[in-house]
């Protein structure tokens, strides 16, 4: 019997996986609804396999994955997600979980993935593999943010006006505008408000 | 009252006029006093000077009354004349009734009003030096009263200091515009350029005007022009005003037919130049500019020009007024830009928030349903009875359909909900949740009738779903009382259940936290308090009304 822990905060997914694993070679030990709960439950229940959602209420499932990667006897992990942005896809690819599957894919792929990972193989959803490859190509070809552009994004995030940013960086307002438009194009954001709201995620690329 | 308003109109923004009139009154008064106080009718040697000064003052007042160019051009000459008058009077009168102090004040006041503290100080230094020289020259005479001389010299120094202070502050102490003027200028949804120009035209009583604004460092601008009763948008490819001086925002009086323009240098002195040197005459002609005022407008990100023409009774004071008006127009444009940014920010927040709601509810539900169907299919293929599983799935679909319908209806609303409508929707949701979780869930409400923004209503609904799910799943509650109240621009949602509650510390303090609730409350810029003892758990959520409206 393979002992499985589900880390997902959505009740519908919990109930569905409970049904799916019922009467199979997998035992669902329980469900953790947050990063904090997952840490405690993994230590307490010592599962063989973790089905891990990426977006959790108190943080990212990728943080749980990083912790698991540092464990001595580490359980196998399948990332189970309804959608990841490109930054998350690339970060997940770096962490190399044993399985990655989209909740929105055909559920038969989920069972295929669970069976493969439980058998010691690596199984990645074809759609995730394709999106990761394209994200990697874009990241390789896209010009990286310069130090000055990162500084400017940080100042926009703090709510400074162009005039104040110009004073802070020792350039003219016109230069700030030129920089901003270059950043909008590079990061494909529409305006400074969106830039400010997504700044933390964009700078971390 | 009408006469008072007419009188005010005559002298408002006309300090040159006030100085000229003061000079005339002083000269005539002095002449009359000298004539009436004389015991014998023959002429003295000072009489021709007094007559010439009075006549000169009258001619200057008449010539400059409606002519800003001549007023500025003659300013230095009349200043010299006033100083000469002081010198003559100080030399020729030593009696206790000497009016020389008034002739000391006039040029000082005039310098302070027209120019700056520097000119005021130089004028005072020259006048005091002349007074001292006069005193020195008279010291040989028997009638010299040294005590009175020292007293008068001290008076002159004190007056000088006061007027220099006035000269320092009058450059930036003029506040022609009030905050109320400012706020009343903004009407939602109308062209910001047209509104800002209309504000400037009303303040200056101009019959025509143009406001041209573009990115800093670029000549291409967008503009709005009002000629007569009609206004129109236009684009300009060339700068209207030539860069003829560095430093300081420019305000310029111009008279194109006469080929004249007048501005102030940063130090406050007048700067005379040809209109050709100041303006691009092709652009000016295109806008119909002939005589009027142009002032430089700066906003947080843009730069441009405010042009006003057909301004009644234009005077040199309009150089300062124009600069202040342009500053106000720049601030108005900034305010419009701020409103736009706030609207864009609110739209982005709503977009991201809706995306998250759809992801958290609909996408997750459908994903879970697909997995359930897969499980049922497998169970059926192995011969298990699946009818109850299918019934359960059907029930979940019907419920979710109701949720989605409520969500879409809220989005379709073109207006905020009244509190009663919001409560009715929450009651309907509570009933559905009660059936779903087999729990008695009731909603009560009190508070003033206020509009509830749709974003806030969606948050309230989602918070209620999560609070009920928590109460039943974690606490095993079978009774949930929901209270909704509005006070001090805050909406408070109280959820009390009879379950076993969260993990507790002492005195109802809660060690575990409802993460999903907390995260949603933080996104809505609200606060969450939780008290939990076995048999009574109270989640108290406070959300700001105004933030949601923005």
């Amino acid at each position: 019997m393979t002992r499985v822990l589900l880390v997902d905060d959505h009740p519908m997914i919990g109930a569905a996986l409970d049904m799916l694993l019922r009467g199979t070679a997998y035992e669902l030990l329980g469900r953790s609804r947050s990063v904090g709960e997952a840490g405690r439950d993994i230590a307490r229940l010592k599962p063989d396999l973790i089905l891990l959602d990426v977006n959790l209420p108190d943080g990212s499932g990728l943080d749980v994955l990083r912790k698991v990667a540092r464990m001595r006897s580490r359980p196998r992990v399948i990332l189970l997600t309804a959608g990841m942005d490109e930054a998350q896809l690339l970060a997940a690819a770096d962490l190399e979980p044993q399985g990655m599957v989209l909740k929105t894919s055909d559920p038969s792929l989920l069972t295929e993935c669970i069976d493969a990972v439980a058998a010691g193989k690596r199984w990645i959803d074809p759609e995730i593999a394709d999106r990761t490859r394209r994200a990697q190509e874009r990241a390789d070809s896209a010009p990286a943010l310069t130090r000055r552009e990162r500084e400017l994004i940080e100042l926009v995030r703090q709510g400074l006006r162009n005039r104040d940013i110009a004073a802070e960086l020792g350039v003219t307002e016109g230069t700030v505008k030129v920089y901003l438009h270059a950043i909008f194009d590079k990061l494909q954001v529409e305006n400074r408000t969106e830039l400010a709201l997504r700044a933390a995620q964009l700078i971390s690329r | 009252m009408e006469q008072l308003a007419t009188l005010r109109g005559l002298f408002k923004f006309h300090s040159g006029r006030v100085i000229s009139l003061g000079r005339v009154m002083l000269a005539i008064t002095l002449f009359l006093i000298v004539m009436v106080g004389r015991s014998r009718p023959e002429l003295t040697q000072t009489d021709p000077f007094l007559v010439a000064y009075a006549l000169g003052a009258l001619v200057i007042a008449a010539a400059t009354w409606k002519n800003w160019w001549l007023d500025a051009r003659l300013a230095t000459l009349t200043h010299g004349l006033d100083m000469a008058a002081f010198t003559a009077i100080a030399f020729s009168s030593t009696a206790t009734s000497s009016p020389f102090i008034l002739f000391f004040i006039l040029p000082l006041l005039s310098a302070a009003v027209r120019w700056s503290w520097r000119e005021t100080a130089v004028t005072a230094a020259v006048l005091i030096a002349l007074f001292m020289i006069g005193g020195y020259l008279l010291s040989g005479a028997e009638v010299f009263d040294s005590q009175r001389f020292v007293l008068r010299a001290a008076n002159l120094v004190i007056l000088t200091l006061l007027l220099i202070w006035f000269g320092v502050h009058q450059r930036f102490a003029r506040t022609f515009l009030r905050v109320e003027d400012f706020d009343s200028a903004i009407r939602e949804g109308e062209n910001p350029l047209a509104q800002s120009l209309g504000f400037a035209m009303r303040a200056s009583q101009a019959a025509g005007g143009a406001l041209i604004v573009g990115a800093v460092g670029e000549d291409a601008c967008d503009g709005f022009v009002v000629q007569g009763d009609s206004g129109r948008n236009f684009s300009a490819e060339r700068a209207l005003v030539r860069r003829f001086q560095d430093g300081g925002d420019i305000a310029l009086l111009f008279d194109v037919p006469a080929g004249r323009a007048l501005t102030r240098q940063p130090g406050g002195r007048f700067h005379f130049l040809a209109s050709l040197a100041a303006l691009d005459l092709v652009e000016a002609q295109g806008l119909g500019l002939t005589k009027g005022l142009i002032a430089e407008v700066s906003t947080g990100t843009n730069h441009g020009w405010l042009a006003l023409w057909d301004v009644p009774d234009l005077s040199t004071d309009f150089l300062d007024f124009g600069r202040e008006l342009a500053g106000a127009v720049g601030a108005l444009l900034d305010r419009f830009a701020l409103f736009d940014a706030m609207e864009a920010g609110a739209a982005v927040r709503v977009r991201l928030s809706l995306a998250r709601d759809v992801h958290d509810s609909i996408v997750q539900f459908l994903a879970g349903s697909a997995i359930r169907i897969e499980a049922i299919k497998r169970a059926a293929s192995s011969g298990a009875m699946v009818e109850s599983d299918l019934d359960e799935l059907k029930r979940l679909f019907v419920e979710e359909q109701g949720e989605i319908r409520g969500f879409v209806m809220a989005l379709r609303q073109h207006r905020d909900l009244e509190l009663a409508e919001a409560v009715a929707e929450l009651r309907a949701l509570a009933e559905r949740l009660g059936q779903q979780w087999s729990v008695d869930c009731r909603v009560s409400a009190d508070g003033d009738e206020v509009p509830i923004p749709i974003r806030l209503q969606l948050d309230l609904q989602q918070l209620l779903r999560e609070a009920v799910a928590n109460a039943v799943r974690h606490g095993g509650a079978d009774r949930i009382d929901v209270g909704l109240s509005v006070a001090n621009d805050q909406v408070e949602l109280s959820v009390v259940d009879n379950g076993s509650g969260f993990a507790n510390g002492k005195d109802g303090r809660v060690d575990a936290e409802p993460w999903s609730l907390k995260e949603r409350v933080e996104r809505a810029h609200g606060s969450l308090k939780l008290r939990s003892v076995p048999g009574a758990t109270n989640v108290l959520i406070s959300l700001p009304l105004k933030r949601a409206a923005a």
Side-chain angles (χ1 to χ4, degrees):
Chain A
M1 207 63 148
T2 304
R3 293 152 50 83
V4 179
L5 174 69
L6 173 65
V7 182
D8 194 311
D9 63 319
H10 201 277
M12 186 70 181
I13 299 291
L17 276 164
D18 186 29
M19 277 183 74
L20 187 68
L21 300 182
R22 208 182 297 153
T24 64
Y26 304 98
E27 179 193 1
L28 189 59
L29 299 172
R31 180 159 73 97
S32 313
R33 295 169 184 83
S34 65
V35 172
E37 271 187 43
R40 288 190 291 274
D41 290 346
I42 291 168
R44 184 171 57 87
L45 300 170
K46 297 186 173 42
D48 304 315
L49 177 66
I50 301 172
L51 292 170
L52 177 62
D53 190 10
V54 174
N55 296 310
L56 294 167
D58 59 339
S60 170
L62 298 179
D63 294 334
V64 177
L65 185 53
R66 285 189 192 94
K67 279 183 194 162
V68 168
R70 289 196 295 269
M71 291 170 67
R72 228 179 276 164
S73 64
R74 69 185 71 144
R76 299 183 158 272
V77 176
I78 295 173
L79 279 183
L80 179 63
T81 174
M84 290 194 284
D85 59 32
E86 290 197 350
Q88 287 175 320
L89 278 174
L90 295 176
D94 284 347
L95 291 167
E96 296 186 336
Q98 285 73 30
M100 287 172 81
V101 63
L102 281 171
K103 286 180 185 174
T104 50
S105 292
D106 185 327
S108 61
L109 294 183
L110 173 60
T111 53
E112 195 179 324
C113 177
I114 293 172
D115 289 342
V117 170
K121 297 175 189 162
R122 192 154 189 264
W123 195 98
I124 306 296
D125 190 314
E127 190 179 332
I128 291 182
D130 187 45
R131 284 183 54 200
T132 306
R133 183 181 50 73
R134 278 186 277 128
Q136 192 63 58
E137 283 171 3
R138 251 196 299 277
D140 291 343
S141 62
L145 288 173
T146 63
R147 187 180 57 80
R148 179 50 65 93
E149 284 170 340
R150 285 172 190 278
E151 283 175 6
L152 200 142
I153 292 173
E154 177 56 26
L155 294 173
V156 168
R157 194 186 66 77
Q158 290 170 18
L160 267 64
R161 298 185 311 167
N162 283 358
R163 185 181 293 179
D164 304 324
I165 292 173
E168 187 78 21
L169 299 181
V171 297
T172 65
E173 273 188 69
T175 308
V176 171
K177 288 184 76 171
V178 172
Y179 267 122
L180 271 178
H181 283 292
I183 292 170
F184 290 170
D185 289 344
K186 207 178 264 187
L187 302 179
Q188 296 182 330
V189 295
E190 283 180 22
N191 52 42
R192 67 189 297 135
T193 312
E194 187 173 354
L195 182 66
L197 287 168
R198 296 178 56 199
Q201 172 206 339
L202 296 170
I203 291 176
S204 69
R205 282 184 178 188
Chain B
M1 288 302 283
E2 205 172 300
Q3 288 85 344
L4 196 65
T6 311
L7 197 64
R8 188 167 171 264
L10 270 179
F11 296 108
K12 188 182 177 188
F13 303 145
H14 283 287
S15 51
R17 213 174 258 184
V18 173
I19 293 166
S20 294
L21 204 61
R23 183 184 300 111
V24 168
M25 286 158 59
L26 266 182
I28 292 175
T29 309
L30 178 64
F31 181 73
L32 290 176
I33 288 170
V34 168
M35 286 302 161
V36 170
R38 189 172 291 164
S39 55
R40 284 180 296 178
E42 69 264 23
L43 290 171
T44 70
Q45 58 184 11
T46 58
D47 288 352
F49 173 76
L50 285 176
V51 171
Y53 184 59
L55 285 175
L58 274 168
V59 169
I60 289 166
T64 59
W65 195 258
K66 279 183 168 288
N67 190 328
W68 52 264
W69 173 262
L70 213 53
D71 183 34
R73 269 291 185 207
L74 294 179
T76 313
L77 179 70
T78 53
H79 197 62
L81 194 65
D82 292 338
M83 290 170 74
F86 166 80
T87 311
I89 289 160
F91 272 93
S92 63
S93 62
T94 53
T96 48
S97 59
S98 169
F100 83 101
I101 203 91
L102 292 173
F103 286 84
F104 179 75
I105 293 173
L106 180 69
L108 248 60
L109 196 58
S110 154
V113 169
R114 280 190 192 284
W115 300 300
S116 70
W117 69 271
R118 290 184 194 84
E119 284 77 7
T120 314
V122 169
T123 304
V126 170
L127 292 178
I128 291 173
L130 287 170
F131 182 76
M132 295 292 186
I133 292 166
Y136 176 75
L137 292 175
L138 288 172
S139 63
E142 290 176 9
V143 291
F144 182 73
D145 181 346
S146 61
Q147 190 182 357
R148 202 175 64 208
F149 175 78
V150 171
L151 187 66
R152 283 183 164 184
N155 287 342
L156 295 187
V157 171
I158 292 166
L159 267 174
T160 299
L161 292 174
L162 286 173
L163 287 169
I164 287 176
W165 181 89
F166 182 66
V168 169
H169 288 274
Q170 70 99 20
R171 275 274 154 259
F172 44 85
R174 295 183 180 192
T175 305
F176 297 108
L177 304 166
R178 297 165 301 172
V179 176
E180 307 89 86
D181 300 336
F182 222 70
D183 285 339
S184 65
I186 294 181
R187 288 181 302 280
E188 210 175 319
E190 289 184 28
N191 179 349
L193 286 180
Q195 286 196 61
S196 305
L197 176 61
F199 166 74
M201 287 175 64
R202 283 193 299 280
S204 63
Q205 297 183 315
L211 180 58
I212 312 157
V213 177
V216 175
E218 292 175 16
D219 287 342
C221 293
D222 292 324
F224 191 84
V225 58
V226 173
Q227 286 160 322
D229 293 333
S230 62
R232 63 177 170 84
N233 289 301
F234 69 97
S235 296
E237 293 301 323
R238 292 157 42 159
L240 172 65
V241 178
R242 299 183 197 284
R243 183 54 64 176
F244 55 84
Q245 75 178 34
D246 293 327
D249 288 340
I250 292 170
L252 185 81
L253 295 174
F254 61 91
D255 183 343
V256 175
R260 294 166 178 165
L262 174 70
T263 184
R264 273 191 202 282
Q265 290 169 338
R269 287 185 202 149
F270 290 127
H271 178 199
F272 301 92
L273 65 169
S275 54
L276 184 63
L279 300 175
D280 182 322
L281 294 183
V282 176
E283 287 294 317
Q285 198 175 14
L287 290 171
L289 299 183
T290 51
K291 296 179 188 176
L293 162 73
I294 288 180
E296 193 169 7
V297 175
S298 295
T299 72
T301 52
N302 290 317
H303 172 268
W305 298 96
L306 168 70
L308 299 166
W309 54 89
D310 291 337
V311 180
D313 248 1
L314 211 55
S315 74
T316 52
D317 283 8
F318 276 75
L319 292 174
D320 297 316
F321 179 58
R323 200 173 287 124
E324 187 163 343
L325 207 48
V329 165
L332 262 178
L333 291 173
D334 272 338
R335 199 173 277 211
F336 280 114
L338 177 67
F339 287 160
D340 280 351
M342 283 168 66
E343 278 183 15
V348 169
R349 275 194 296 276
V350 168
R351 184 160 58 81
L352 294 177
S353 182
L354 285 178
R356 189 179 175 100
D357 279 352
V358 169
H359 176 272
D360 285 356
S361 55
I362 301 170
V363 173
Q364 299 280 0
F365 176 84
L366 292 175
S369 301
I371 296 171
R372 277 193 171 216
I373 291 169
E374 177 72 16
I376 292 169
K377 193 182 92 180
R378 287 178 178 227
S381 66
S382 64
M385 296 294 290
V386 294
E387 193 176 342
S388 61
D389 288 335
L390 284 172
D391 282 344
E392 171 66 5
L393 193 57
K394 184 176 78 176
R395 187 184 66 77
L396 289 173
F397 267 106
V398 170
E399 273 174 9
E400 187 64 14
Q401 189 175 286
E403 298 296 319
I404 295 170
R405 194 171 59 234
F407 184 75
V408 172
M409 277 174 67
L411 288 178
R412 276 186 181 158
Q413 291 274 4
H414 290 296
R415 57 177 177 81
D416 292 347
L417 296 176
E418 294 299 325
L419 180 62
E421 294 173 295
V423 171
E425 285 194 2
L426 285 177
R427 283 200 175 114
L429 175 62
E431 198 178 325
R432 290 200 300 274
L433 291 171
Q435 287 169 4
Q436 179 183 343
W437 295 100
S438 303
V439 63
D440 183 6
C441 185
R442 298 174 192 187
V443 176
S444 62
D446 65 68
D448 301 332
E449 264 303 329
V450 290
I452 305 288
I454 287 164
R455 177 64 260 161
L456 182 58
Q457 175 68 355
L458 289 174
D459 280 335
L460 288 170
Q461 290 179 353
Q462 197 60 28
L463 286 167
L464 181 57
R465 285 188 195 101
E466 289 172 15
V468 170
N470 280 340
V472 178
R473 280 205 308 253
H474 302 302
D478 58 18
R479 169 72 190 260
I480 299 172
D481 289 300
V482 180
L484 187 74
S485 62
V486 180
N488 302 323
D489 285 335
Q490 296 280 322
V491 174
E492 292 208 336
L493 181 73
S494 161
V495 182
V496 181
D497 70 69
N498 64 350
S500 59
F502 289 80
N504 289 314
K506 289 175 185 174
D507 304 326
R509 187 171 52 80
V510 177
D511 292 336
E513 288 194 318
W515 285 108
S516 55
L517 279 179
K518 197 175 173 212
E519 191 200 27
R520 185 169 289 275
V521 168
E522 280 173 2
R523 281 211 310 273
H525 304 280
S527 61
L528 181 147
K529 287 180 192 163
L530 182 63
R531 289 194 69 79
S532 184
V533 291
T537 296
N538 185 6
V539 180
L540 187 63
I541 294 164
S542 186
L543 301 176
L545 262 174
K546 285 188 176 168
R547 181 85 192 196

